[in-house]
Amino acid sequence: MKYYDKLIFELSKEGRSACTLPLPDRKLELPETLRRSSKAVLPQVSEADVVRHYTNLSQMNFGVDTGFYPLGSCTMKYNPKINEEVASLPGFRDVHPLQPGAKGYEQLYEEMDKALASITGMAHFTFLPCAGAHGELTGLMLMRSYHESRGDFKRKRIIVPDSAHGTNPASAALCGLEVVVVKSGENGLVDVESLKPLLGDDLAGIMLTNPNTLGLFERDIKAIAELVHSCGGLLYYDGANMNALMGVVRPGDMGFDILHLNLHKTFSTPHGGGGPGSGPVGVCNKLVSLLPTVRTSAFHGNAGVILKAYAYILMLGKENIAKLGKLACLNANYIKEELKDCYKLPIDTVCKHEFVFDGLEGANTLDVAKRLLDYGYHAPTIYFPLLFHQAIMIEPTETESKETLDDFIAVMRKIACEAKENPELLHSAPHNTPVSRPDETLAARQPVLKWQSQ
Amino acid sequence: MLKRVSLSSLDELYSDVPEDCKFKGEFDLPSAMSEQQLREYFERLAAKNPKSKVFVGQGAYDHYCPSVIPYLCSRSEFLTAYTPYQCEISQGTLRYIFEYQTMICNLTGLDVSNASLYDGATAAVEAVRMCVACTRKRNKVLLSDGLLPNVIETIATYAKWEGTELEIIPCEAGETSRTALLEALDGTVAGVLLPGTNRFGIVEDHSGLADAIHQAGALFVEYCDPSTLAVIKTPAEWGADIAVGDGQSLGIPLSYGGPYVGFMACRNEYMRKMPGRIVGQTQDAQGRRAFVLTLQAREQHIRREKATSNICSNQSLMALWITVYLSLMGPEGLEDVNNLSYQAAHGLKDALLKTGLFEDPYPGKPFIKEFVLKPLCDVQKLHAALDKAGIFAAWPDKEGNVSFCATENRSSEDIRALIDVVNSLK
């Protein structure tokens, strides 16, 4: 990766254009009051300028195709190329969202609904949500709708564990729910005893991810489900960690009533530098009739992403889907066992698809993460979950070979040695990336959020 | 590997899972397909979709997409990256988002843009929430009935649970009723959401409205089609505080409704109430220009239940898509997109009126690429005939009119074909 310092605006030359449209015979006529007073400032560049510029920008980026990406809770598995190809077929690309009789798409949504229902143990799905957090909010709206449809208007509290993803409490608050935090016990799991006093007839439900963000299976899930159900609440499953259970455990069988899946995690669609994702929401039978009442995006959700995820499911087929979770868990346990003598492992037990170290003796987690970049790896998720001060959350996924894991393990051990012998090396890392550590305080104190000509 | 983790089988990895949670059945899924079979399967599926000439807009516009865009956006360094948390190896993503933010600001005339939202409808939801957050003890938002019905429906879905009161301002002669709007503006109103170009395709005149809205202590949000902003008065020029809309009209394929990209820009004073990611410029340890995610104290991973929004993943790759589109088009090219669309749509409207089977319900109103007509023929027969000819047109609205749209992608032959179908109904 080499440093390239241009912005497209800085390549601009008056009068240059890459637009190949024919010249209009007729110019638009609008009353002066409705016209923009000056031309919009946009780049004036040639096609070659554009192609080179964005190619250069891409070379300052690291993707799953570049190297190992053990970003915890993000499930950065390999994204099969055939999925990209089929999703961009003209027969899919050129269909207007309001056009009736789009039989190909209708069949896709039907088959995908059936496939996801079988994989998760839910009854039916809505595909409107465009991302995980969007799914959470849609799911919580369904939860509230369910209670209100039964004339029960007082359920305004929701239980969220302290280890939950930040989107859980944020989604709940937007849905008009009061967030009640349940603390994790010493073993990293939801403590059933501390849950009991939080129950009541004003409880809308509980949001859980299982395995939780420590990569641990909530083994009391059946008891939790029974407690929450017995006071009239519903269970929401945050599907961010679904990869751990793929083919082995179905959220519906654990007692969950509503869930979202992240097709851009578990179902291999590329994350695109922050989206587009897709966060379909599945519900159990008693909530199915409510699905059409919740419109949370304009048309049919991210149809293009759903196509890719369905291609992934079809290529795995019923024969291979059961292997996913197991191999993902094996890879995570393997790294954990190989590294636990030099990184602090606060909870030493069989993990699922990911696990959390509480840093490295004598070093900051941030420094470890930045040093990993020098060795050609993406860093794990750091400082999350909030339960440990120096959290390093590692999720390898099932698509990595033993050789890739061994190389990563060797580098992690090397960094542990460097931390002792030459801590400055970590402190000033990264050294081999296009830029070194940027000044984030400066960015926040004097925000420069757009390019302006000098 | 199993030996290294002291286990004898893969199943033991789930020894902490109670037996009654485990799935013991067979998945109701097809058998695994090879890549060849998969390709064939999807080709057959795609062939089941209609291949129509599209003459409908209503929030999804068939504009031309230059071939450069998919090439660049499918570069795997962009495609397979996560959100740019590790900025030192994400300068590519961070730079194009910074460029995207600049372009959105320049199109809307406003000061600050975020890194994208899901789609136009959810961007409108976020704007409604911002209005409530930026005004004290106010909880009502006025929505023009000229907004697209799915935008209003999405806002209403969220508002119900967020406790925001909505009031619909009716349209009069194809535009948001000024009288009704001014009457509804009282001390409880937090914001007003008006369309730049409305669902009838009419470019609305918002002269003087910003002053009235601001005097009432509310925020003015404009929902706009960004493609048209190359030529029409910008939200900033109308005095709007926030602009939102869907970036799809900037060269994103129709794709049955997604992925598209929601955009949002606002005035500086509301910057810290904005939802979503924002990229800022700074420098690295060597003093080189570098870019980072900034102002993160607004976001869910820091503020949890007190965040301005719950949004995490957005539509980053689609932000790249329109950034490349706008770079290719430039200011003149985007103007020509509007000129060509104007030419096609006005030609179409004149020809449709000439058939004698339609009337103009809003004569003399300015439009660019989309318009509605009152049908004097049987609409069902019209749809059947159009469908047979492979044309998707005449989208019915609640007033009993039908909507047409023509962009630079519709040739004069396409238009002639549509007119021939209409004439055949005589």
Side-chain angles (χ1 to χ4, degrees), chain A residues 30 38 65 68 119 165 189 220 251 283 316 336 427 430 433:
Chain A
L30 279 179
S38 62
D65 285 6
F68 186 43
I119 290 168
H165 297 115
L189 303 176
D220 294 323
V283 296
L316 282 170
K336 171 174 68 72
H427 214 60
T433 49

Side-chain angles (χ1 to χ4, degrees), chain A residues 37 39 54 107 111 244 439, chain B residues 14 41 48 99 237 282 335:
Chain A
S37 62
K39 277 191 197 306
Y54 289 101
Q107 188 181 332
E111 291 184 9
D439 185 343
Chain B
Y14 296 85
Y41 183 87
K48 291 182 185 174
E99 293 174 347
E237 287 172 322
T282 183
E335 260 194 72

Side-chain angles (χ1 to χ4, degrees), chain B residues 309-386:
Chain B
S309 167
N310 66 333
I311 191 165
C312 184
S313 287
N314 46 46
Q315 302 278 116
S316 193
L317 196 73
M318 305 322 288
L320 172 63
W321 193 287
I322 69 177
T323 304
V324 176
Y325 175 85
L326 289 169
S327 302
L328 291 167
M329 290 294 153
E332 306 284 341
L334 195 60
E335 260 194 72
D336 277 347
V337 167
N338 281 282
N339 284 325
L340 290 163
S341 300
Y342 181 94
Q343 181 181 313
H346 283 73
L348 173 65
K349 185 177 174 185
D350 293 346
L352 283 168
L353 287 172
K354 229 168 122 189
T355 64
L357 294 182
F358 296 96
E359 266 177 13
D360 189 349
Y362 311 121
K365 292 285 181 179
F367 70 97
I368 296 175
K369 63 189 171 199
E370 199 170 13
F371 58 89
V372 294
L373 292 178
K374 184 174 173 214
L376 304 173
C377 54
D378 182 322
V379 176
Q380 263 183 334
K381 275 190 194 150
L382 172 67
H383 282 150
L386 288 169

Side-chain angles (χ1 to χ4, degrees), chain B residues 282-301:
Chain B
T282 183
Q283 37 186 268
D284 77 353
Q286 278 79 47
R288 290 177 298 192
R289 180 162 61 170
F291 297 85
V292 292
L293 292 174
T294 193
L295 305 175
Q296 295 190 71
R298 303 162 294 111
E299 292 188 65
Q300 49 78 27
H301 60 288

Side-chain angles (χ1 to χ4, degrees), chain B residues 114-413:
Chain B
N114 68 11
S116 80
L117 298 162
Y118 309 130
D119 67 2
T122 58
V125 168
E126 298 282 356
V128 165
R129 186 180 304 137
M130 256 175 96
C131 290
V132 174
C134 293
T135 50
R136 274 163 198 236
K137 293 182 185 163
R138 290 174 178 228
N139 201 31
K140 196 201 301 184
V141 173
L142 310 180
L143 305 179
S144 162
D145 190 34
L147 292 163
L148 294 161
N150 56 9
V151 171
I152 293 183
E153 209 188 318
T154 308
I155 293 173
T157 301
Y158 279 77
K160 179 176 177 194
W161 305 113
E162 295 187 24
T164 308
E165 193 188 330
L166 301 175
E167 186 178 327
I168 306 289
I169 305 298
C171 287
E172 208 182 295
E175 280 191 82
T176 311
S177 162
R178 224 162 238 277
T179 337
L181 172 60
L182 296 176
E183 259 172 36
L185 266 180
D186 60 26
T188 65
V189 176
V192 179
L193 193 48
L194 301 176
T197 306
N198 63 28
R199 65 185 168 90
F200 315 112
I202 293 166
V203 184
E204 294 207 351
D205 185 346
H206 294 154
S207 307
L209 290 182
D211 286 344
I213 294 168
H214 291 146
Q215 262 162 32
L219 270 67
F220 174 12
V221 183
E222 194 176 279
Y223 188 93
C224 34
D225 170 351
S227 175
T228 64
L229 291 181
V231 291
I232 68 169
K233 200 168 255 191
T234 64
E237 287 172 322
W238 286 126
D241 303 288
I242 302 171
V244 287
D246 203 309
Q248 185 275 336
S249 60
L250 300 172
I252 296 180
L254 293 168
S255 303
Y256 205 51
Y260 294 171
V261 53
F263 70 87
M264 173 185 266
C266 71
R267 294 190 187 282
N268 263 329
E269 54 193 297
Y270 304 116
M271 174 166 64
R272 283 168 209 275
K273 294 283 184 203
M274 258 213 167
R277 317 253 185 240
I278 298 177
V279 170
Q281 182 182 309
T282 183
Q283 37 186 268
D284 77 353
Q286 278 79 47
R288 290 177 298 192
R289 180 162 61 170
F291 297 85
V292 292
L293 292 174
T294 193
L295 305 175
Q296 295 190 71
R298 303 162 294 111
E299 292 188 65
Q300 49 78 27
H301 60 288
I302 310 277
R303 293 293 298 281
R304 297 176 78 86
E305 68 268 24
K306 294 192 178 64
T308 53
S309 167
N310 66 333
I311 191 165
C312 184
S313 287
N314 46 46
Q315 302 278 116
S316 193
L317 196 73
M318 305 322 288
L320 172 63
W321 193 287
I322 69 177
T323 304
V324 176
Y325 175 85
L326 289 169
S327 302
L328 291 167
M329 290 294 153
E332 306 284 341
L334 195 60
E335 260 194 72
D336 277 347
V337 167
N338 281 282
N339 284 325
L340 290 163
S341 300
Y342 181 94
Q343 181 181 313
H346 283 73
L348 173 65
K349 185 177 174 185
D350 293 346
L352 283 168
L353 287 172
K354 229 168 122 189
T355 64
L357 294 182
F358 296 96
E359 266 177 13
D360 189 349
Y362 311 121
K365 292 285 181 179
F367 70 97
I368 296 175
K369 63 189 171 199
E370 199 170 13
F371 58 89
V372 294
L373 292 178
K374 184 174 173 214
L376 304 173
C377 54
D378 182 322
V379 176
Q380 263 183 334
K381 275 190 194 150
L382 172 67
H383 282 150
L386 288 169
D387 195 42
K388 212 171 145 204
I391 294 169
F392 177 45
W395 183 255
D397 69 12
K398 63 180 179 191
E399 287 81 10
N401 297 323
V402 288
S403 165
F404 292 88
C405 176
T407 64
E408 77 281 10
N409 263 352
R410 289 296 76 84
S411 64
S412 38
E413 288 76 31

Side-chain angles (χ1 to χ4, degrees), chain A residues 232-246:
Chain A
L234 297 179
L235 276 84
Y236 183 90
Y237 181 82
D238 170 355
N241 293 352
M242 180 67 196
N243 208 46
L245 304 186
M246 279 291 277

